[in-house]
Amino acid sequence: MWPIKLLFVVLFLFVLISLFQALNIMRKDQTTVSMSQFIGRRLIYSSLLLILIILAMAFGLITPNPRPY
């Protein structure tokens, strides 16, 4: 069970890293590297993470928290 959660954490870290890379490009106003590359990577990592979470819940690898009421 913990390897799938480790994969989720790694993908989430990739999302954060690409977000801060885009922020750094925007702040420095560099024209050599396009900011849309990092935003596109963030979109791909986020969608992959969401799909993996849905599949893991569907196959019973992870269980959501119970309802609070």
Side-chain angles (χ1 to χ4, degrees):
M1 177 168 320
W2 63 271
I4 192 80
K5 291 181 181 179
L6 183 64
L7 179 66
F8 293 159
V9 169
V10 169
L11 278 174
F12 184 69
L13 286 176
F14 281 155
V15 169
L16 287 179
I17 288 169
S18 64
L19 180 67
F20 283 111
Q21 285 176 337
L23 176 69
N24 192 20
I25 294 295
M26 184 174 60
R27 193 174 51 89
K28 288 184 179 180
D29 196 30
Q30 296 176 348
T31 58
T32 58
V33 180
S34 177
M35 186 177 63
S36 63
Q37 291 177 346
F38 297 113
I39 299 298
R41 287 181 194 165
R42 186 179 69 112
L43 179 66
I44 290 171
Y45 292 144
S46 298
S47 60
L48 182 64
L49 181 63
L50 183 64
I51 289 170
L52 284 177
I53 288 173
I54 291 171
L55 286 175
M57 285 175 49
F59 290 124
L61 296 174
I62 59 173
T63 56
N65 288 337
R67 297 174 92 177
Y69 48 88

